[in-house]
Amino acid sequence: MEILRRLDDPEWLEFPSGYSGTEAAALFSRLVGQIDSHFSTRCEIDRDIQDSAQYGRIDVPGEVAVCGTRIVVLVSRFKPLAMVAADNPGAFFGTDDARAEGELDASDLEKVGRALSGLGYVVIPEELLTNRYDGAARLLFHGSGEPSWWDRFFGSF
């Protein structure tokens, strides 16, 4: 929670002060290259997501994952935040739950984690991001229910 609160500036909702799209693109490309290499495949990517604090998404195909389930890596515009999910964010209560259900292998999770940490990203557990947002910003939330920390750093505005 400390890192989330430190990055939670109410003046900067979609990206932080000093954000460089060029730097974010270069770092994301390096991350994609490393994950592609670790899994010996080309992953599907979605980058520079509009009206969102999320910069990009990398989908590791289920065919190359030990358990056969797609692995999703989300990168926030608020570096160093990233998150990892099996199948899709929200499909499980986090990576521990996905592992317990036999949908995510520890070795695959380690490959993704190695690529992320090697580039300075910090993986924030999905279960932490689902906590109700109680930060400093006044979010204009478009979903149902209360906004969460996921909405703040990975969601759309």
Side-chain angles (χ1 to χ4, degrees):
M1 286 304 298
E2 181 181 323
I3 192 169
L4 297 177
R5 292 196 188 286
R6 183 174 45 82
L7 293 171
D8 186 31
D9 184 337
E11 299 296 318
W12 301 92
L13 296 178
E14 195 172 330
F15 50 83
S17 173
Y19 175 77
S20 167
T22 303
E23 289 175 17
L27 191 61
F28 188 76
S29 291
R30 287 179 56 205
L31 178 62
V32 170
Q34 286 189 19
I35 291 175
D36 283 355
S37 176
H38 290 329
F39 286 93
S40 300
T41 193
R42 289 196 51 91
C43 297
E44 284 188 42
I45 62 168
D46 187 5
R47 69 169 69 226
D48 201 20
I49 298 165
Q50 297 298 309
D51 301 321
S52 175
Q54 183 184 144
Y55 177 80
R57 175 182 171 128
I58 303 167
D59 287 353
V60 178
E63 300 81 49
V64 299
V66 171
C67 295
T69 302
R70 168 181 59 189
I71 301 167
V72 177
V73 179
L74 302 179
V75 172
S76 176
R77 292 177 198 253
F78 288 82
K79 188 174 185 312
L81 303 181
M83 71 159 290
V84 179
D87 188 37
N88 227 358
F92 297 92
F93 294 116
T95 55
D96 288 343
D97 183 50
R99 288 182 59 209
E101 296 275 335
E103 299 294 329
L104 182 61
D105 186 77
S107 65
D108 285 344
L109 191 56
E110 193 273 329
K111 288 177 188 178
V112 171
R114 188 174 56 227
L116 286 163
S117 66
L119 292 172
Y121 289 102
V122 174
V123 177
I124 304 296
E126 185 175 5
E127 49 274 32
L128 181 66
L129 291 168
T130 61
N131 287 335
R132 184 180 66 80
Y133 176 75
D134 62 354
R138 297 195 62 195
L139 298 182
L140 299 174
F141 181 61
H142 300 291
S144 61
E146 295 286 324
S148 66
W149 285 94
W150 187 90
D151 296 308
R152 171 65 180 97
F153 289 111
F154 294 92
S156 297
F157 298 100

